[in-house]
Structures are given as structure tokens and as C-alpha cells.
């Protein structure tokens, strides 16, 4: 068995044709896919299953495989690269040396983003949490300064459930962006928003000093968000030439 998952060109083409470009920020190639539109392709039944998902629920297998196929399609379409990014044994995608990518899904929605000009990159998609979930879980997601930010500024723009959804999602994006460096899961309360612009939908995050030092992380990470009716998409990304 090959070390990498082989995906026939026709499957890559089929997925690309039903995906839609999404603009998050410049120099990021981002595409979205409604997974309910992929059922007729039976992709998860036509490909070998990497070790990681061999025993997974069929829905999880579909999300995983479609995410990898769409990423492969963006790699081919925008960068002219046809190498496989999916190891049969490794947990994470293996991106080409000069490309960074990120994949996320929530319910039936899937997004991928790739850039060949990134210092760091992470994306996330989340359906809005309920008010009940927000109240119960806020202390696990929001730092004291983020509670203050809610009271002083954010409440004008978002209800509390939307605010918790935003913070939760952008921290997920942040962890994906730093994982190649940290190689560790970092707790939600170990990162915090230090600046936010609700008009531009951009923000800046930082880690606690001890976390920065432990994993040799940057002082600040730039991010942003875009809102749809039933979900939010966030990104943490910086292009090479940015100050």
C-alpha cells in the first residue's frame, strides 16, 4: 500500500466544480463546500481510508475525505501541484514545502484555505452556539479581559452567543496556525484578544508570556472573521511581506 492516499483526477475535478470561492482576506485561496451536495459522488466509498478514519463514523469519513480532496483541488487549480497531501498514517495533511493550508468543517459545511505566501495560517468554521451553551461555557472560552471587552465594546455589535462563537472560532483558527510550531494543544484561556475592530472584522491575538516562551511563538497573531446567516468563519493569517 502506498504511503499516500491516491485521489483520481476526476474526483478532484468533481469536487472543485461544486465548491465555491470564499473571500476571507487577500493572498488566501479559500473555498467552501456543502457536503450534502457530495453524496451522489460516493467519494468515501471510492477511496482507500487512511488509518486515522478507518474506524470512524461514515459522516466523519465523508468530512475528512472531502476536506482532503478539496484541498488537493485548490492545490492543483491555483498552484499547479498534483502531489498528494494525505498520508495513510500521519494525522495532519502534509503540505508542499512552500504552501500552508488549513481545513475546517461544521455540520454540513466544509472550508479549506491555502496560501504560498504565509507566515502562519489557520481557519475555522462554526455554527452559532446557542445562548444556553454560551452562558454555560463562556468561562472555558473567554479570558477575564475578553469578558471586559464584551461589556465595554462587543455588546454593541454582537449578542453574547455570537460573541462566544466568534472567540471560540478564532481561537480554533489560532491553534491551527501555531500547531506547526507548538506541536501541542494550547488551552483556550492561554490566548486572548488584545485588539478588535468590529467595522473591519479584524483582530489581534496574543498568548500568555509563559506560553509564548515555552513554544517560541510570536508576540501577536492577526486574524479576522466573516459572518453568514447560520455560521461564522474565522482566519488567523499573515502574509510574508506584512509588517
Amino acid at each position: 500500500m502506498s504511503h499516500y492516499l491516491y485521489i483520481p483526477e476526476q474526483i478532484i475535478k468533481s469536487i472543485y466544480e461544486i465548491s465555491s470561492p470564499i473571500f476571507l482576506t487577500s493572498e488566501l485561496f479559500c473555498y467552501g463546500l456543502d457536503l450534502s451536495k457530495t453524496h451522489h459522488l460516493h467519494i468515501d466509498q471510492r477511496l482507500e481510508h487512511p488509518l486515522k478514519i478507518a474506524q470512524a463514523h461514515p459522516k466523519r469519513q465523508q468530512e475528512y475525505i472531502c476536506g482532503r480532496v478539496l484541498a488537493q483541488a485548490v492545490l492543483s487549480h491555483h498552484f499547479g501541484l498534483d502531489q498528494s497531501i494525505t498520508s495513510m498514517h500521519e494525522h495532519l495533511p502534509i503540505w508542499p514545502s512552500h504552501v500552508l493550508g488549513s481545513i475546517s468543517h461544521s455540520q454540513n459545511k466544509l472550508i479549506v484555505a491555502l496560501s504560498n505566501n504565509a507566515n502562519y495560517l489557520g481557519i475555522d468554521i462554526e455554527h452559532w452556539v446557542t445562548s444556553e451553551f454560551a452562558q454555560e461555557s463562556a468561562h472555558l472560552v473567554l479570558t477575564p479581559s475578553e469578558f471586559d471587552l464584551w461589556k465595554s465594546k462587543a455588546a454593541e455589535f454582537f449578542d453574547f452567543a455570537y460573541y462566544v462563537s466568534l472567540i471560540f472560532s478564532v481561537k480554533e483558527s489560532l491553534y491551527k496556525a501555531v500547531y506547526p510550531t507548538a506541536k501541542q494543544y494550547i488551552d483556550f484561556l492561554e490566548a486572548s484578544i488584545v485588539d478588535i475592530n468590529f467595522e473591519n472584522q479584524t483582530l489581534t491575538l496574543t498568548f500568555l508570556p509563559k506560553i509564548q516562551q515555552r513554544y517560541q511563538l510570536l508576540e501577536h497573531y492577526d486574524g479576522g472573521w466573516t459572518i453568514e446567516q447560520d455560521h461564522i468563519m474565522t482566519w488567523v493569517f499573515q502574509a510574508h511581506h506584512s509588517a
Side-chain angles (χ1 to χ4, degrees), residues 42-241:
H42 303 293
I43 286 170
D44 51 327
Q45 292 161 35
R46 292 164 65 188
L47 300 175
E48 268 189 278
H49 286 180
L51 218 53
K52 172 179 157 48
I53 58 154
Q55 304 302 319
H57 187 277
K59 183 176 185 297
R60 172 74 187 112
Q61 290 177 342
Q62 186 208 13
E63 289 165 352
Y64 177 94
I65 295 282
C66 287
R68 297 305 176 94
V69 176
L70 182 55
Q72 202 77 58
V74 178
L75 205 54
S76 171
H77 187 84
H78 287 286
F79 305 105
L81 297 170
D82 60 2
Q83 68 213 73
S84 178
I85 58 164
T86 304
S87 162
M88 297 305 279
H89 308 285
E90 298 289 326
H91 177 67
L92 295 170
I94 298 170
W95 305 106
S97 58
H98 62 297
V99 173
L100 280 180
S102 191
I103 302 171
S104 181
H105 47 77
S106 175
Q107 296 177 29
N108 255 345
K109 300 271 194 297
L110 166 77
I111 57 169
V112 307
L114 284 86
S115 176
N116 61 349
N117 188 33
N119 290 328
Y120 51 77
L121 167 62
I123 56 158
D124 185 64
I125 180 170
E126 299 288 340
H127 281 73
W128 300 113
V129 303
T130 62
S131 297
E132 188 182 19
F133 178 92
Q135 295 295 340
E136 287 172 2
S137 308
H139 67 289
L140 302 173
V141 178
L142 305 183
T143 61
S145 67
E146 287 163 346
F147 274 109
D148 291 344
L149 177 64
W150 157 253
K151 291 173 196 148
S152 65
K153 191 174 181 183
E156 291 175 48
F157 299 92
F158 275 6
D159 73 25
F160 191 62
Y162 274 38
Y163 181 66
V164 172
S165 302
L166 165 64
I167 306 295
F168 180 91
S169 182
V170 82
K171 287 185 179 182
E172 283 285 337
S173 290
L174 177 65
Y175 297 136
K176 290 179 185 179
V178 302
Y179 191 85
T181 307
K183 301 269 194 291
Q184 279 294 326
Y185 176 76
I186 301 171
D187 189 83
F188 277 122
L189 300 179
E190 293 174 321
S192 195
I193 287 177
V194 287
D195 190 34
I196 191 163
N197 185 318
F198 284 95
E199 286 83 5
N200 295 344
Q201 297 184 186
T202 56
L203 45 78
T204 305
L205 299 120
T206 192
F207 288 99
L208 292 176
K210 65 175 184 182
I211 300 295
Q212 266 179 51
Q213 286 153 18
R214 186 182 305 160
Y215 301 118
Q216 257 91 62
L217 300 175
L218 302 176
E219 266 188 54
H220 294 108
Y221 289 86
D222 297 327
W225 72 90
T226 186
I227 286 175
E228 299 295 333
Q229 190 175 354
D230 59 349
H231 64 274
I232 184 166
M233 291 178 282
T234 60
W235 48 268
V236 169
F237 167 76
Q238 184 188 63
H240 284 321
H241 55 68

Side-chain angles (χ1 to χ4, degrees), residues 22-30 121 202 223-224 235-238:
I22 297 168
F23 181 78
L24 295 182
T25 186
S26 59
E27 301 193 64
L28 207 51
F29 296 104
C30 187
L121 167 62
T202 56
W235 48 268
V236 169
F237 167 76
Q238 184 188 63

